[in-house]
């Protein structure tokens, strides 16, 4: 596959069937978050299969402590921008805190807005058995749903912090059962966040739908990271599961310092960077 997709190339997004086929073929799904047009283009050009406009934008874009303040309008705004930069990747939009928990009707109305106004191909929501009815109704209405189990950041206060889930036997059993329930309800895939690798491997083996891991070991059918973490743009955040594939934070700071020095020294803009007067 070409890694040089151009905006002039036709829109041919991967479908949920294509991505489910990856699992059958033993091909890993490469997933990443993105929140704007510029990065969406780069991520798509680099051959990422699935892009999530996650409510992690609360942390990395808005500078919030948790994802709880993120609104549906925030996700719609960023999804629309991201959708314009994608040619091939499947676009998933996150349903924010309390936009699907109140009633099935509320979930249906909000998911419809995200699909229609945010131009996403699928929606993602957090939770297991307690979401089965909502998942069923959304899927019946033609809305593809990605589940999210393990560490579910919208329940951060209930969980008592960012900690690995499914470590004890009861929790382990509940997560395996929840994954099966989501699959039965019609979810096309499930994110597993911050669970032991052995648990993620067991869930991935038990389901025919793909699992996408973050902090869940290499046994998942795909992996996802927050883009800013992968690029090293998020200095202070350094959990065990994040690998920084670049240190862009340092490069950005250096480039901006160089710009500042050039402005102060009067070497920017140069004659070549300046327009001539219009010839009369
Ligand atoms: O919001 C998000 O970015 C997510 C991923 C970390 C899976 O839910």
């Amino acid at each position: 596959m070409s890694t040089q997709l151009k905006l002039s190339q036709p829109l041919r997004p991967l479908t949920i069937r294509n991505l489910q086929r990856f699992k059958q073929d033993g091909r890993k799904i490469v997933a990443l978050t993105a929140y704007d047009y510029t990065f969406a283009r780069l991520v798509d050009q680099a051959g990422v299969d699935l892009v999530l406009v996650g409510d992690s934008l609360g942390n990395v874009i808005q500078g919030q402590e948790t994802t709880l303040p993120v609104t549906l309008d925030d996700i719609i705004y960023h999804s629309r921008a991201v959708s314009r930069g994608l040619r091939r990747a499947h676009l998933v939009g996150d349903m924010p805190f309390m936009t699907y928990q109140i009633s099935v009707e509320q979930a249906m109305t909000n998911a419809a807005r995200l699909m229609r106004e945010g131009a996403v191909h699928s929606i993602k929501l957090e939770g297991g058995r307690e979401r089965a009815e909502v998942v069923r109704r959304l899927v019946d209405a033609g809305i593809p749903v990605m589940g999210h189990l393990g560490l579910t950041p919208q329940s951060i206060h209930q969980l008592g912090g960012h900690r690995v889930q499914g470590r004890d036997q009861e929790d382990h059993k509940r997560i395996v059962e929840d994954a099966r329930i989501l699959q039965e309800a019609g979810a096309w895939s499930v994110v597993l966040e911050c669970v032991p690798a052995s648990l993620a491997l067991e869930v991935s083996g038990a389901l025919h739908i793909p699992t996408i891991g973050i902090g869940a070991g290499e046994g998942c059918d795909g992996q996802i990271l927050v883009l800013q973490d992968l690029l090293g743009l998020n200095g202070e955040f350094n959990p065990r599961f994040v690998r920084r594939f670049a240190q862009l934070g340092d490069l950005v700071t250096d480039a901006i310092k160089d710009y500042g020095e050039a402005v102060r020294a009067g070497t920017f803009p140069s004659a070549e960077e300046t327009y001539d007067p219009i010839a009369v």
Side-chain angles (χ1 to χ4, degrees):
M1 194 215 51
S2 164
T3 55
Q4 284 304 308
L5 294 170
K6 303 247 164 52
L7 278 180
S8 55
Q9 285 190 240
L11 259 178
R12 197 166 292 164
L14 290 169
T15 65
I16 61 170
R17 302 279 165 248
N18 296 143
L19 293 167
Q20 288 178 325
R21 191 61 199 265
F22 277 35
K23 173 160 180 154
Q24 290 156 21
D25 295 347
R27 182 173 161 190
K28 296 272 189 188
I29 296 170
V30 180
L32 206 50
T33 68
Y35 314 98
D36 66 24
Y37 168 79
T38 303
F39 273 117
R41 277 191 72 175
L42 295 171
V43 164
D44 198 71
Q45 285 173 2
V48 165
D49 305 311
L50 183 153
V51 171
L52 169 70
V53 177
D55 60 2
S56 51
L57 70 82
N59 307 113
V60 296
I61 303 296
Q62 299 176 340
Q64 316 260 21
E65 279 294 312
T66 71
T67 59
L68 304 191
V70 175
T71 66
L72 186 63
D73 284 339
D74 292 336
I75 298 283
I76 288 173
Y77 172 88
H78 288 277
S79 297
R80 217 168 29 223
V82 167
S83 76
R84 295 188 194 111
L86 303 184
R87 287 283 163 265
R88 173 182 172 274
H90 185 88
L91 178 58
V92 183
D94 228 350
M95 294 284 282
F97 178 60
M98 279 299 150
T99 62
Y100 57 95
Q101 289 93 336
I102 294 169
S103 67
V104 170
E105 287 66 31
Q106 182 217 24
M108 302 272 288
T109 306
N110 286 333
R113 275 198 67 203
L114 184 46
M115 299 286 287
R116 203 181 277 137
E117 298 172 40
V120 302
H121 306 126
S122 296
I123 62 102
K124 176 169 84 60
L125 48 78
E126 298 182 3
R129 64 200 69 195
E130 69 282 14
R131 303 285 163 248
E133 176 60 8
V134 163
V135 172
R136 210 169 284 119
R137 291 283 297 279
L138 290 169
V139 173
D140 281 352
I143 298 178
V145 178
M146 172 181 253
H148 186 156
L149 294 172
L151 174 57
T152 46
Q154 291 173 19
S155 308
I156 199 68
H157 299 303
Q158 182 81 21
L159 297 174
H162 287 95
R163 53 181 63 180
V164 178
Q165 301 295 308
R167 274 197 153 137
D168 66 50
Q169 252 188 356
E170 201 184 317
D171 249 26
H172 179 118
K173 186 163 166 267
R174 188 179 44 78
I175 291 173
V176 176
E177 283 173 5
D178 277 349
R180 282 212 172 89
I181 290 169
L182 287 174
Q183 172 175 273
E184 273 162 28
W188 74 269
S189 60
V190 182
V191 168
L192 297 174
E193 179 164 354
C194 280
V195 296
S198 54
L199 169 52
L201 190 63
E202 184 181 335
V203 171
S204 306
L207 301 188
H208 60 258
I209 60 173
T211 58
I212 311 286
I214 174 161
E218 48 80 48
C220 294
D221 303 306
Q223 297 290 331
I224 187 161
L225 280 176
V226 168
L227 179 65
Q228 276 72 358
D229 297 342
L230 172 157
L231 294 177
L233 281 166
N234 205 1
E236 305 87 62
F237 186 67
N238 203 11
R240 180 183 172 127
F241 63 83
V242 166
R243 186 185 300 176
R244 291 188 179 160
F245 286 83
Q247 293 290 353
L248 285 201
D250 296 340
L251 284 180
V252 170
T253 309
D254 288 347
I256 295 169
K257 276 185 187 160
D258 288 351
Y259 164 70
E261 277 170 25
V263 169
R264 288 182 196 109
T267 58
F268 176 81
S270 65
E272 292 75 40
E273 290 154 339
T274 306
Y275 293 110
D276 289 331
I278 300 167
V280 280

